[in-house]
Amino acid sequence: MVVFGVIIIILGGMAFMIGWTILNKRRDWMKNTARVLGLVEEDRIVYEVDGKSYALRVTSTNIKGRSLPIRYSLQNPGQARVDAPLATWLAPAFFMLLGSGLLLTGIGMVKG
């Protein structure tokens, strides 16, 4: 039971660190607003950073002409993602909660 508890602790720690890493990476990205341009088959989001334009391809076809919030990397402004709260917070929260649960379960198994 102790060996299984240690394995659960290791998996929990890994899951927690994945969530923490995703959260910290997204925290360093800047918010911006972009306008969707292009044809339905070739949608792209165009945004500007320090006077230079960048494009981000998207797969949704019902967003043409709309403005969307995005986040771009400070080190590489050409690297961007649509700023969806679900994607920004749900994945890190899921991994951190999963990791915390596994850690507590593993610690309980090792102590018991």
Side-chain angles (χ1 to χ4, degrees):
M1 192 67 118
V2 173
V3 173
F4 189 64
V6 171
I7 292 171
I8 295 293
I9 289 172
I10 292 170
L11 292 175
M14 289 171 53
F16 187 86
M17 289 307 297
I18 288 170
W20 185 258
T21 302
I22 293 170
L23 186 63
N24 279 335
K25 181 179 179 186
R26 295 207 176 129
R27 190 181 301 162
D28 293 336
W29 286 33
M30 292 294 295
K31 286 186 179 183
N32 200 348
T33 302
R35 184 166 172 79
V36 180
L37 303 172
L39 302 172
V40 172
E41 298 85 26
E42 193 179 326
D43 281 334
R44 61 190 179 106
I45 297 174
V46 177
Y47 60 100
E48 216 173 276
V49 178
D50 295 329
K52 188 173 180 185
S53 292
Y54 297 94
L56 170 66
R57 289 188 180 253
V58 293
T59 56
S60 181
T61 59
N62 61 348
I63 58 175
K64 188 174 181 180
R66 290 180 41 201
S67 293
L68 295 175
I70 62 161
R71 285 186 182 260
Y72 65 89
S73 172
L74 290 174
Q75 291 80 23
N76 181 9
Q79 184 180 5
R81 292 192 173 115
V82 175
D83 187 24
L86 191 63
T88 302
W89 297 106
L90 184 63
F94 170 76
F95 280 109
M96 291 174 75
L97 287 172
L98 175 68
S100 298
L102 288 174
L103 281 169
L104 291 174
T105 302
I107 289 170
M109 292 175 80
V110 169
K111 286 190 172 184

